[in-house]
Amino acid sequence: MTVTSFEIRPGAYYDSVVLMQLQKGLAGLPGVVDAGVVMATPANKEVLLSTGFDLESITAEADDLLIVVKADDQEAAAAALGQVDDLLVQRQTGGGGAAYRPKSLAMAARLMPEADWVLISVPGRFAAAVADEALDLDKHVFLYSDNVALEDEIRLKTRARQAGRLVMGPDCGTAIVSGAGLGFANRVRRGSIGLVAASGTGLQAVTAGIHNRGGGVSQALGTGGRDLKSEVGGATAHQGLATLAADPETEVIVLISKPPAAAIAAGLLQAAAAAGKPVVVSFIGYPPPARRLGSLHFAATLDEAAELAVSLAGQPGSAAPPAAGHPGYLRGLFSGGTLAYETMLALQGLLHPLSSNVPIQPEQQLADVWHSTGHTIVDLGEDDFTQGRLHPMMDNDLRLRRLRQEAADGETGLILLDVVLGEGAHPDPASELAPAIGDALAGRPELAVACLVVGTEEDPQNLPDQVDRLAAAGARVFRTVTEAAADCAARLAAPPPPVPPVALFPDRLSAINVGLESFHDSLLAQGARVLQVDWRPPAGGNEKMMAILARLKTKKG
């Protein structure tokens, strides 16, 4: 029969690594069966209950340090609790605890004014306030802490953007800045590939893959997992892209994320296309729309993203400047259903909103197939259009009517047509399409028309002649969906709102660490300059007192 003993230390605070080490030390003592060392929050007490600790007689509050020991007998339990202070001293006299540690972030900033970064890994309910203080001190923030309110994340990132600072996180586990790994980062050589990632382990996998292929990393900027939610809008991701686009040391950019919301994905891809550098996109679990769309290179896996980035690094001219923006919406008028589908797939992440009578996602359903709205792709071979008519590959009449309709719509910026040659198809589609294209462009010089021509030189319609007549009428002619889609996206994708880059990072990282001492020790081992703050929760973590102090601070400000 085991016995359970406990000790409560009101208002005592230690970071989670210290608590883990203390728990491990207690559990290894003679006669001890198990040990638990936590801040006594309801969630932590639930964990202790689930692992078999009897907490019935324990009345610890959330701000208290709770130490529980399950032992063979009362003597062993008491002996273990009697060694708590010695075990804490052993932990705190190593690593970051060996040097002088300021008691506040403000004091640390005075002692190390050159520090550009503050690493924050305190409990989530305190993290936003520490991040606010870091921004007050004009520092970038690496916010490892989780359980930060979404509204606090939005507010912090808005503040940071206005101040030309970065907030990576909350719940940001990995970054590489000025050659130093922050959080859970691999050690990789420096080089010309920059990364922006909403996935910590994804960032690790790609940076390790780049290193193992002989490449190197300029900067690797984490965003935190919620950054690409609609509410946050990809705030840090956009800042990261702008910063790497402006960085002369970065030749290739890699963008990593789980699939973001459609509007967020469109904005990020537009910003990536405008970066003026090749960008490898790895939206994990998202089917790549093509191998390449202009300067965007899509990877199906993290390993492929690393391989693509290394192959693109050092290639001069691998990213052509984006085409000039063209006002208006895309109107795609297709006779081939699969061509319409592939074009939808290629463009749905770049043009938003995108509608169709053959949608890929339910929200893309076109309300009225006879009238376009926004960016629209219509398969004219569907049943709605072919009842009592020949298929549009044989009869252009309905498509010519729809072409004139779209050209007369002032919202139309570009009309995309497929022209499918071969046996059984219209014997001379250019004879009807080219004059209609010429009339549309004559009536609206600002309009653009593109034709996707599918066929071979052996086809009876005479492929070169078809291409020449369509081009002579003013159409831009493409031979693959990928080429046509890339041109459409470059011309029609709304220019992303300007996001100023943050100032380029110095060659060597200087940082202040608030929270986990292991992060301090890791940065020291990598040659960075770092100062550990001996942080404690304000007002001993008492929520009421903290609220009073916050109000006093607001009034004083």
Side-chain angles (χ1 to χ4, degrees):
M1 178 102 178
T2 60
V3 298
T4 298
S5 294
F6 65 91
E7 181 177 330
I8 298 173
R9 298 194 174 190
Y13 173 80
Y14 298 92
D15 78 44
S16 56
V17 171
V18 172
L19 300 184
M20 177 190 68
Q21 293 290 343
L22 174 58
Q23 178 174 304
K24 186 176 179 180
L26 289 171
L29 294 175
V32 175
V33 177
D34 199 359
V37 182
V38 297
M39 300 305 296
T41 63
N44 285 339
K45 287 193 283 189
E46 283 293 329
V47 171
L48 290 179
L49 282 169
S50 69
T51 54
F53 285 98
D54 179 10
L55 306 183
E56 185 176 351
S57 61
I58 298 177
T59 58
E61 300 297 325
D63 308 319
D64 299 336
L65 176 63
L66 173 61
I67 306 166
V68 187
V69 172
K70 185 188 296 182
D72 292 333
D73 51 47
Q74 193 63 51
E75 184 179 355
L81 290 175
Q83 296 189 51
V84 166
D85 287 326
D86 289 340
L87 291 170
L88 284 172
V89 169
Q90 290 174 25
R91 169 60 192 168
Q92 290 190 287
T93 54
Y100 169 71
R101 301 190 298 180
K103 299 292 185 182
S104 69
L105 180 54
M107 176 60 74
R110 288 195 290 272
L111 292 173
M112 186 182 279
E114 72 275 16
D116 285 326
W117 287 89
V118 174
L119 282 67
I120 301 171
S121 53
V122 302
R125 61 195 179 111
F126 307 113
V130 180
D132 268 317
E133 187 178 359
L135 292 174
D136 289 341
L137 295 167
D138 200 30
K139 309 297 184 184
H140 299 296
V141 174
F142 175 81
L143 185 50
Y144 172 84
S145 305
D146 55 10
N147 294 308
V148 175
L150 183 62
E151 56 268 27
D152 283 329
E153 176 173 357
I154 296 169
R155 178 181 55 76
L156 289 168
K157 290 186 173 182
T158 300
R159 278 197 66 192
R161 178 168 169 172
Q162 293 170 346
R165 301 283 105 180
L166 275 178
V167 170
M168 297 196 290
D171 199 18
C172 182
T174 304
I176 299 173
V177 178
S178 301
L182 281 58
F184 306 124
N186 298 96
R187 295 197 181 187
V188 299
R189 72 177 61 83
R190 300 186 73 167
S192 61
I193 300 172
L195 302 95
V196 177
S199 166
T201 51
L203 185 58
Q204 285 190 260
V206 177
T207 54
I210 289 169
H211 176 90
N212 293 334
R213 286 176 170 85
V217 172
S218 56
Q219 312 288 343
L221 308 177
T223 70
R226 294 189 310 207
D227 189 69
L228 301 189
K229 283 185 172 292
S230 298
E231 299 90 333
V232 186
T236 301
H238 277 284
Q239 279 188 288
L241 283 171
T243 300
L244 295 178
D247 179 17
E249 301 299 319
T250 298
E251 297 177 359
V252 177
I253 300 171
V254 181
L255 179 60
I256 305 166
S257 169
K258 299 180 180 69
I264 303 302
L268 281 176
L269 293 178
Q270 290 158 13
K277 298 177 180 181
V279 180
V280 177
V281 180
S282 179
F283 287 163
I284 306 161
Y286 177 82
R291 294 290 296 173
R292 177 179 180 182
L293 289 176
S295 61
L296 304 182
H297 302 255
F298 293 89
T301 66
L302 296 172
D303 189 60
E304 185 182 5
E307 183 178 10
L308 273 171
V310 172
S311 68
L312 290 166
Q315 292 186 17
S318 55
H326 203 81
Y329 291 111
L330 168 68
R331 303 293 161 75
L333 309 178
F334 282 80
S335 61
T338 301
L339 296 176
Y341 184 90
E342 186 180 1
T343 304
M344 282 282 296
L345 186 64
L347 291 176
Q348 66 177 349
L350 295 161
L351 300 182
H352 184 82
L354 182 62
S355 300
S356 178
N357 65 325
V358 284
I360 296 174
Q361 307 295 336
E363 63 271 17
Q364 296 168 339
Q365 178 64 55
L366 186 62
D368 179 357
V369 299
W370 298 98
H371 295 89
S372 299
T373 176
H375 299 295
T376 300
I377 292 176
V378 178
D379 174 12
L380 293 167
E382 281 290 288
D383 291 348
D384 287 329
F385 301 109
T386 57
Q387 293 183 30
R389 297 177 182 272
L390 289 173
H391 193 279
M393 284 180 60
M394 295 182 281
D395 181 5
N396 284 312
D397 179 66
L398 183 58
R399 185 147 60 155
L400 292 170
R401 293 171 185 267
R402 188 66 175 256
L403 190 154
R404 288 191 287 269
Q405 175 184 323
E406 301 294 1
D409 183 349
E411 292 190 339
T412 303
L414 189 153
I415 298 173
L416 174 61
L417 309 167
D418 66 339
V419 182
V420 183
L421 309 180
E423 300 295 340
H426 192 289
D428 186 12
S431 66
E432 298 177 346
L433 293 175
I437 291 169
D439 290 344
L441 294 175
R444 285 187 57 203
E446 76 279 11
L447 183 68
V449 177
C451 291
L452 166 63
V453 179
V454 178
T456 75
E457 293 184 355
E458 302 296 323
D459 287 328
Q461 292 89 351
N462 190 338
L463 172 64
D465 179 59
Q466 295 289 318
V467 169
D468 289 345
R469 282 190 284 163
L470 293 169
R476 295 171 57 80
V477 180
F478 302 94
R479 300 299 307 281
T480 69
V481 167
T482 299
E483 292 172 349
D487 183 74
C488 291
R491 289 173 175 275
L492 293 176
V499 176
V502 302
L504 297 179
F505 306 127
D507 190 60
R508 183 183 177 192
L509 180 75
S510 294
I512 298 168
N513 188 54
V514 185
L516 296 173
E517 292 183 18
S518 57
F519 288 173
H520 167 279
D521 299 344
S522 171
L523 289 175
L524 276 184
Q526 296 177 76
R529 292 183 287 260
V530 59
L531 183 61
Q532 177 74 29
V533 174
D534 187 14
W535 182 85
R536 292 291 182 272
N542 183 285
E543 298 285 356
K544 291 183 179 179
M545 289 300 299
M546 287 170 58
I548 293 171
L549 290 174
R551 287 196 295 271
L552 290 173
K553 182 179 179 181
T554 302
K555 289 180 180 179
K556 184 178 178 180

